[in-house]
Structure formats: C-alpha cells, structure tokens
Amino acid sequence: MPMIDVYATAGTFPDQHRLATDLAAALMTIEQVPDIPMFRQNTAAFIHDLPPGGLANVDGDTNYVRIQVLTNAGALDRGKQLAVVEQLANIAAEAAGDPGLVSRTWVLLTEAVDGGWGLAGHANTNEELVLAARAQIARIHAGQATDQ
C-alpha cells in the first residue's frame, strides 16, 4: 500500500486529482497487489504545491518535480523499481503537458521498516499486512462485507 508524495512548483499540474489517481493506480498495477479495498483505499498520492522559489537545483532551475514513493520493505524487485521510476515520471510529464519533464523528474524509492506501516492505528509488519490482505480476499470470496 504505497504512499506517493509529489513536490512541484504551484501550477505545474492543472489537474492534481487526476494526477494523484493515475499515480496511485499505476503503482498498484506495478506492485501487482490484489485489487481489493485494503489496497485501493490505502494506496494514495499527495500533491504538494511549492511556492515560487521553493525548489531549486544548484543552477537555480525551478522546473523540476520530486516524486517520493514509500512501499513496504521488499515490495519492489529491480524490474518493478525500473517500471515505477519510468512510469511515474511519464505520468507526471503528461499531467504537466511537458514531455521534457521526464528528464527533470526525480523519483525516490523508499521502504517502510517492518512494523512501520500504520493502518487503523496499528503499526503493521509485512507479515501482518499479507495476513490482513488474505483475510479480506477470503471475506470477499465468501460474500461478506469488507473493511480495511
């Protein structure tokens, strides 16, 4: 259940809601997690508008984007890492209407420590997340109501 934070100068993305939804959906697809409420409701992107001058590289350029992805430990093998970086940069560039933004998008991949993934007030280990997902899948197959 990754979390995505996007940092860019205000006005970079005209439709932030669509960008957030597209990024979250892409990451769920790349991670290959089951399409269940637990993952759909807890995979999210946050778009952070920075004021003019709130972002710069050494040369003073401000037309960059930073996308930080937080996943549970071990969720992304090398192939998935490559796919996340490429696809999220492409989605951001498309959302900005600037194909050149791909080369100015920094994607940081980070992992939550085991036990560092909090849902519903509980710090979950990777094993607990897997068990919760399996339990929800079983409830869905049994036709029962699901919660997170």
Side-chain angles (χ1 to χ4, degrees):
M1 290 162 296
M3 292 288 135
I4 306 160
D5 288 279
V6 179
Y7 299 88
T9 302
T12 301
F13 302 112
D15 188 346
Q16 294 182 350
H17 185 261
R18 171 136 188 213
L19 172 61
T21 303
D22 288 349
L23 291 170
L27 200 45
M28 265 189 70
T29 299
I30 295 165
E31 266 197 314
Q32 299 174 337
V33 296
D35 189 6
I36 59 175
M38 178 180 168
F39 293 116
R40 294 186 64 78
Q41 294 168 3
N42 293 292
T43 300
F46 303 81
I47 312 302
H48 305 274
D49 280 336
L50 300 173
L55 171 116
N57 65 12
V58 173
D59 293 331
D61 298 325
T62 63
N63 58 346
Y64 282 76
V65 170
R66 183 180 107 177
I67 302 174
Q68 184 166 350
V69 177
L70 176 66
T71 61
N72 62 311
L76 302 177
D77 62 22
R78 183 64 179 145
K80 290 177 182 179
Q81 291 170 346
L82 292 168
V84 167
V85 171
E86 179 182 12
Q87 290 183 35
L88 271 54
N90 285 332
I91 290 168
E94 183 177 321
D98 178 2
L101 188 61
V102 169
S103 66
R104 299 186 318 277
T105 298
W106 303 308
V107 180
L108 296 97
L109 303 177
T110 58
E111 295 182 337
V113 297
D114 203 29
W117 205 254
L119 290 177
H122 179 74
N124 294 278
T125 64
N126 287 342
E127 182 179 351
E128 289 170 331
L129 289 172
V130 169
L131 292 174
R134 287 181 180 156
Q136 188 171 85
I137 291 168
R139 286 191 305 274
I140 290 169
H141 286 124
Q144 298 172 357
T146 60
D147 58 357
Q148 291 182 341

